Amino acid sequence: MAPMPIATQNPATAEVLQTFEPHTPEQVQAAIATAHATFQQWRLTSFAHRGELLRRAADLLDEDNETIARVMTLEMGKTLKSARAEAAKCAKGMRWYAEHAESLLADEPVDPTSVGASRAFARYAPLGIVLAVMPWNFPLWQVVRFAAPALMAGNVGLLKHASNVPQCALYLEDLFRRAGFPDGCFTTLLIGAREVEGVLRDPRVRAATLTGSEPAGQSVGAICGDEIKKTVLELGGADPFLVLPSADVERAAQVAVTARCQNNGQSCIAAKRFIVHTDVYDAFAEAFVRHMSALVVGDPMDEATDVGPLATEGGLRDVAAMVDDARGKGASVLCGGRALEGPGWFYQPTVVADLTTDMAMFAEEVFGPVAGLYRVADLDEAITLANGTTFGLGSNAWTNDPDEIDRCIRDLDAGVVTINGMTVSYPELPFGGTKRSGYGRELSAHGIREFCQIKAVWVG
Ligand code: NAP
């Protein structure tokens, strides 16, 4: 496949607005050298100093909220209101790590007498340069949830962002610079996917984090395996959303719509498979289809819009092909099911029922506003179906029965279990997947410790 050009192309009109020259190999080398030199100083700075800079970055981001939200919407089509919320969430995440990093990374003492020492403890030491390969779908949040803990831990970051969000990528570098972070602390590389290997193999680059598709994760994971470098992989998902008889079905149906269509249906943790107990199936299906059909699809800059375009033409093609495949093999399309006529990459909010295992939609990730609806006889069948994909990112269950809640928490094979709600990431809670959704964790104490090396210290 030809490499993606690095460009801003408005998904609402398909118009190419600006193209960017990729960085040359010499520029990439210079960026790595600066990052490496900066790390030698940055790792010696105090948590208080790092926190002060990160708080300043959060304040600047709040001041820029409207401007950067418009850039996000322009580059990848999320609704302006959700772009504003994403930028605000980033500022909040920065402040959280600014406040908590020091205690999360405090030395962990052990009883010195038990190891014959006068002092003994574990210390979290920074690694050095971490390369972040990031996707376009949350163009600020995906980066900030890596950058805030990494910088607080004393690491420095290189960002290879998705090729369709270069202005967001450059904005982030500029934001950290304006906040006072020294040159080389956080650097955006304008490079294509093919140039990632050279960066990963550079001995000065110590680790990598990738959020994106399975093939990209496999590639980065394989190269880093070869180089014996730490990786965190946040990959795709086909999250289940269980609705059981004791649930508030109307509320579940309303939240199901947001859980599926947030970010125009392009979220790794969007609920994608709606698995409903037969006793409440008809009521849920009726309410769900009603709410999905009522969504306003249109210009993402318009305040009234609920669902904007898909971010790329390829993304639209994939979603349309999956629905057509299901329809062709006998599935029922309960609402939507078509791309919109005219310019831009819009797809109608869609609910598909009567799915069977020979359909791509049955277990693959649908990255658009398309829900699969499944009828099950009992909780056992629901859990088997929920766990029956190669993914294990988020999972959602709606029930008011305490035993069922315990059972779902225990048996849903996923990195996140959400009861009577929809999967959301919070700085306070670890975030990540299992199985082919990836490994490693972001956010919380777990996220900041991923890119630290743990030193055992024994003092006689
Ligand atoms: P993608 O094609 O994998 O792109 C993600 C990033 O990886 C981009 O920067 C891309 O660069 C780069 N990339 C692609 N192939 C690569 C390779 N072989 N080697 C190195 N880098 C490579 O992903 P996408 O389709 O844009 O994003 C959607 C996917 O991300 C979905 O599967 C979604 O579920 C997943 N996702 C997961 C999470 C999570 O936290 N688990 C969060 C958000 C999204 P170019 O743009 O230059 O190709």
Side-chain angles (χ1 to χ4, degrees), residues 75-429:
E75 290 201 306
M76 52 67 65
K78 66 169 59 216
T79 60
L80 184 56
K81 55 193 171 195
S82 66
R84 291 184 189 120
E86 180 176 336
K89 179 172 179 168
C90 289
K92 202 168 154 227
M94 287 176 176
R95 292 191 181 99
W96 192 83
Y97 271 113
E99 184 179 342
H100 295 285
E102 183 164 14
S103 62
L104 299 176
L105 297 183
D107 290 345
E108 287 175 1
V110 300
D111 174 9
T113 57
S114 65
V115 292
S118 66
R119 275 195 308 144
F121 55 90
R123 169 162 297 179
Y124 295 98
L127 284 177
I129 302 178
V130 184
L131 174 68
V133 182
M134 290 290 150
W136 44 262
N137 64 341
F138 292 94
L140 254 50
W141 174 239
Q142 303 290 3
V143 178
V144 166
R145 75 183 186 186
F146 150 73
L151 293 170
M152 284 306 299
N155 292 306
V156 298
L158 292 177
L159 169 66
K160 181 269 177 278
H161 215 326
S163 292
N164 56 336
V165 288
Q167 295 191 49
C168 290
L170 292 169
Y171 168 80
L172 284 161
E173 180 183 78
D174 185 56
L175 175 72
F176 286 115
R177 187 177 296 127
R178 281 188 289 139
F181 286 87
D183 268 2
C185 253
F186 184 90
T187 311
T188 287
L189 302 176
L190 288 182
I191 55 173
R194 286 183 187 167
E195 278 65 58
V196 167
E197 177 164 2
V199 180
L200 291 173
R201 291 206 185 273
D202 190 297
R204 292 165 294 185
V205 175
R206 294 285 298 272
T209 179
L210 177 135
T211 301
S213 61
E214 237 177 286
Q218 284 170 319
S219 170
V220 166
I223 295 163
C224 288
D226 192 39
E227 293 286 339
I228 324 288
K229 290 181 183 177
K230 175 83 185 267
T231 48
V232 168
L233 299 180
E234 298 285 1
L235 309 178
D239 289 5
F241 188 103
L242 277 54
V243 186
L244 299 166
S246 63
D248 177 342
V249 172
E250 176 58 31
R251 177 90 192 113
Q254 282 170 10
V255 174
V257 172
T258 311
R260 176 58 282 204
C261 294
Q262 58 173 323
N263 214 35
N264 309 339
Q266 304 159 118
S267 171
C268 54
I269 47 168
K272 291 165 188 149
R273 298 176 300 131
F274 297 81
I275 298 170
V276 186
H277 193 285
T278 190
D279 290 356
V280 288
Y281 181 92
D282 292 340
F284 178 84
E286 183 278 319
F288 188 39
V289 168
R290 177 163 37 86
H291 294 305
M292 286 286 276
S293 309
L295 291 173
V296 177
V297 182
D299 179 359
M301 291 286 182
D302 190 331
E303 303 290 342
T305 296
D306 297 310
V307 179
L310 298 185
T312 64
E313 191 172 12
L316 174 64
R317 221 179 10 243
D318 291 349
V319 167
M322 282 174 115
V323 175
D324 291 347
D325 165 73
R327 190 177 4 228
K329 291 174 180 162
S332 319
V333 177
L334 304 185
C335 66
R338 307 255 170 240
L340 298 196
E341 300 280 324
W345 305 314
F346 295 90
Y347 199 85
Q348 294 172 328
T350 298
V351 180
V352 184
D354 304 318
L355 290 154
T356 49
T357 50
D358 58 332
M359 300 170 186
M361 255 193 81
F362 189 85
E364 288 177 27
E365 178 178 41
V366 192
F367 223 52
V370 175
L373 190 56
Y374 301 81
R375 184 196 292 267
V376 290
D378 55 29
L379 181 57
D380 286 338
E381 191 185 346
I383 288 178
T384 302
L385 190 56
N387 292 341
T389 74
T390 56
F391 298 109
L393 193 53
S395 62
N396 313 271
W398 286 71
T399 167
N400 286 305
D401 178 318
D403 292 338
E404 286 182 351
I405 291 174
D406 287 347
R407 176 84 199 282
C408 289
I409 294 170
R410 189 190 68 187
D411 290 345
L412 286 171
D413 194 5
V416 184
V417 178
T418 302
I419 306 293
N420 295 329
M422 59 177 258
T423 308
V424 173
S425 60
Y426 303 94
E428 296 84 350
L429 277 170

Side-chain angles (χ1 to χ4, degrees), residues 23-36:
H23 287 162
T24 61
E26 293 71 32
Q27 285 174 306
V28 172
Q29 279 304 308
I32 296 173
T34 306
H36 186 63

